Amino acid sequence: MSRRGWVLFLTLSVIWGAPYLLIKVAVGEVSPVSVVFARCAIGAALLLPWTIYRGQLRPALRHWKPLLLFTVLEMTGPWLLLSWAEQSLSSSLTGLLVAGVPFAAALAARLAGEEERLTPVRLLGMGVGVVGIAVLLGLDLEGAQLLPILAVALVVVGYATAPLIVFRALPDVPGVAASSVALFVTAVVYAPFALPRLDEVAGASTDAVLSLLTLGVLCTAIALALFFVLIREVGPQRALVITFVNPVVAVLLGVWLLDEPFTLGIGLGLPLVLVGCVLATRRSAPRPEPSVEAVDAAAR
């Protein structure tokens, strides 16, 4: 991975390690549909004017079909499912389940005929990363309900397939333009359900309101713009390896901000996750070009 790719990767890993905690705080006082609406409305309010000012809205809308599909798979469906699931699942378990995105992305890429190979080293890295997260957070399914787990599984499918659409069908659409349209559409979809619940936000605590603002500004508007850049820099499969680091960041934020203990699991799991990320993001060696003799032999 290039130096620019690593900077984007690490930045997004930190930014998208926070939403699990923020969503957990918000859904304690605000309904999931209101959380999604607030997140998207804030993000669209920041990105859409810039898109219009740059004259990028109309070119983006020419690709409305793949853009709409991306919106459904990346935002409209997953964000509501994630907020709903975190009403009963812990943020740690949710992050651990979402760490399955790279595997689903690898399967989706193979079905879509992507040329980049999943080398043994990269597969080993993914495996090490999953083991590290399991050690780091622990997998405690006792008392967990099946439907929230299935909801997160659908989130994994959406997160795994949406970047492929960006990479293959939206290469000429600027990231900010695509993000702003997707956020606006999602906000419009949920507006009829969220607007009658505005009293929830008005009566929410300062922590819940700040969580919504942070979700909209940092974890949505800024992060999505950066994510498009990362996809085009390193490819969709490698970009999704950030899901290995996100739960680590979530735990470290808990230790730092909430005075949670730095456990043995964190001490052992964190190095495994980092090693797994390094291995899983290694660029595949180019396929050897066939020699003239081989081509001639095949033609015969």
Side-chain angles (χ1 to χ4, degrees):
M1 191 185 295
S2 66
R3 179 179 300 178
R4 183 168 182 256
W6 272 114
V7 170
L8 290 167
F9 180 90
L10 294 174
T11 301
L12 275 171
S13 295
V14 173
I15 292 176
W16 273 344
Y20 302 110
L21 173 63
L22 297 173
I23 291 173
K24 190 68 175 178
V25 172
V27 296
E29 303 180 37
V30 181
S31 64
V33 70
S34 297
V35 171
V36 177
F37 172 75
R39 182 179 186 180
C40 293
I42 293 171
L46 292 173
L47 295 183
L48 193 57
W50 178 253
T51 298
I52 296 173
Y53 173 77
R54 298 278 300 229
Q56 297 173 342
L57 181 60
R58 183 172 296 180
L61 293 178
R62 294 195 187 107
H63 304 273
W64 67 270
K65 288 183 179 179
L67 187 54
L68 182 60
L69 183 58
F70 165 78
T71 301
V72 172
L73 292 173
E74 180 71 22
M75 299 180 194
T76 311
W79 287 0
L80 182 64
L81 291 171
L82 202 60
S83 298
W84 177 78
E86 284 209 50
Q87 287 183 312
S88 55
L89 297 180
S90 68
S91 59
S92 297
L93 178 57
T94 303
L96 177 56
L97 294 173
V98 174
V101 167
F103 291 100
L107 177 60
R110 195 166 188 84
L111 293 175
E114 290 293 311
E115 294 183 358
E116 187 174 13
R117 293 177 297 149
L118 285 173
T119 64
V121 172
R122 292 186 61 196
L123 289 173
L124 175 63
M126 290 182 179
V128 171
V130 169
V131 171
I133 292 173
V135 172
L136 175 67
L137 301 176
L139 183 58
D140 184 10
L141 295 179
E142 183 179 356
Q145 300 176 12
L146 179 60
L147 285 180
I149 294 175
L150 292 177
V152 178
L154 291 176
V155 172
V156 169
V157 173
Y159 282 174
T161 53
L164 280 174
I165 297 172
V166 174
F167 193 68
R168 303 186 67 176
L170 300 172
D172 300 323
V173 178
V176 172
S179 299
S180 63
V181 172
L183 289 168
F184 178 78
V185 170
T186 302
V188 169
V189 168
Y190 288 118
F193 308 98
L195 290 178
R197 302 169 180 260
L198 285 178
D199 57 319
E200 293 180 345
V201 179
S205 66
T206 302
D207 288 343
V209 173
L210 287 177
S211 295
L212 292 175
L213 290 174
T214 306
L215 277 171
V217 176
L218 181 63
C219 302
T220 301
I222 295 175
L224 279 172
L226 292 177
F227 189 51
F228 273 84
V229 179
L230 179 64
I231 291 173
R232 292 181 176 127
E233 178 72 19
V234 304
Q237 292 182 46
R238 192 174 285 108
L240 288 174
V241 178
I242 62 174
T243 55
F244 283 152
V245 186
N246 296 160
V248 179
V249 175
V251 171
L252 293 179
L253 286 176
V255 172
W256 179 35
L257 298 177
L258 302 179
D259 294 326
E260 295 176 350
F262 189 89
T263 64
L264 179 61
I266 295 176
L268 295 176
L270 180 58
L272 289 174
V273 172
L274 296 179
V275 170
C277 286
V278 171
L279 295 177
T281 54
R282 288 188 61 181
R283 188 174 297 276
S284 303
R287 294 178 182 272
E289 295 291 335
S291 63
V292 176
E293 293 81 2
V295 173
D296 182 61
R300 294 179 184 179

